[in-house]
Amino acid sequence: MTPMTRIARYILLTLTLLAATSSCTHNDGDIGPLFGSWILDSMTLDGQPYTPDVDGYTCLQFQGKVIMAKIIDDRHSLLFYSVGSWERTDNTLYLDYTHSDNDTPPGEGAYSAPYWLMLTPNAVNEVSILSLNSRHMHLRHITPDGDIVEYTFHKTF
């Protein structure tokens, strides 16, 4: 066996071992079917179809206790995002958009609630889970004004 063949086999073996032993994990453990990215399919306001006034589509991402809402255009460019935290109790999600940092007041900037989803800024929003499985999610939020907003999402990964 030539030295070049030996080196090639060593590199191939190393790459095979790396591929077999490394993988993505769920940060902070398994959070169940919420983990991953969800695309907004439809939204209703008081039972009537409603289209958010944004140039792009909405994506929610759950990992650990962090939720990120994004507006993404047709070229997959990020147009806007907001970051919050979430807790789940039975069939209720509590989406917390009251966070801050040294440069950003509570509930502002990247910590603002996703306005296009009619969530309340600088607040913990209560959202009911109407149905949830590994591929589809149906949620309901009642705004402080009493408007009933429903969302349907499909999971991308």
Side-chain angles (χ1 to χ4, degrees):
M1 185 178 334
T2 67
M4 202 57 148
T5 304
R6 233 182 284 198
I7 291 171
R9 284 186 177 179
Y10 179 75
I11 290 172
L12 182 60
L13 176 64
T14 302
L15 290 174
T16 302
L17 287 173
L18 283 172
T21 59
S22 63
S23 66
C24 291
T25 60
H26 295 186
N27 189 22
D28 295 332
D30 184 10
I31 61 171
L34 284 171
F35 177 82
S37 292
W38 297 84
I39 301 295
L40 180 67
D41 290 323
S42 66
M43 188 170 161
T44 63
L45 175 60
D46 293 329
Q48 299 300 311
Y50 178 83
T51 302
D53 187 21
V54 295
D55 294 326
Y57 62 92
T58 296
C59 175
L60 293 184
Q61 295 177 314
F62 292 85
Q63 184 172 350
K65 291 296 179 187
V66 176
I67 181 172
M68 181 179 279
K70 298 179 177 181
I71 300 173
I72 301 173
D73 69 12
D74 292 334
R75 293 179 168 208
H76 305 285
S77 297
L78 178 64
L79 302 177
F80 182 85
Y81 73 95
S82 70
V83 179
S85 61
W86 66 275
E87 293 285 333
R88 180 177 177 185
T89 304
D90 298 321
N91 286 326
T92 303
L93 286 174
Y94 298 93
L95 307 181
D96 184 349
Y97 290 99
T98 62
H99 302 286
S100 64
D101 60 35
N102 290 339
D103 300 320
T104 309
E108 293 184 16
Y111 306 108
S112 62
Y115 62 89
W116 67 98
L117 295 178
M118 302 184 71
L119 295 175
T120 306
N122 198 20
V124 177
N125 290 266
E126 187 175 317
V127 179
S128 299
I129 301 171
L130 302 179
S131 65
L132 172 65
N133 61 38
S134 62
R135 304 302 305 152
H136 300 280
M137 177 168 60
H138 186 185
L139 305 175
R140 176 184 295 143
H141 172 62
I142 300 174
T143 69
D145 294 334
D147 296 321
I148 300 171
V149 186
E150 291 194 14
Y151 319 87
T152 57
F153 292 88
H154 74 273
K155 192 175 211 174
T156 59
F157 70 89

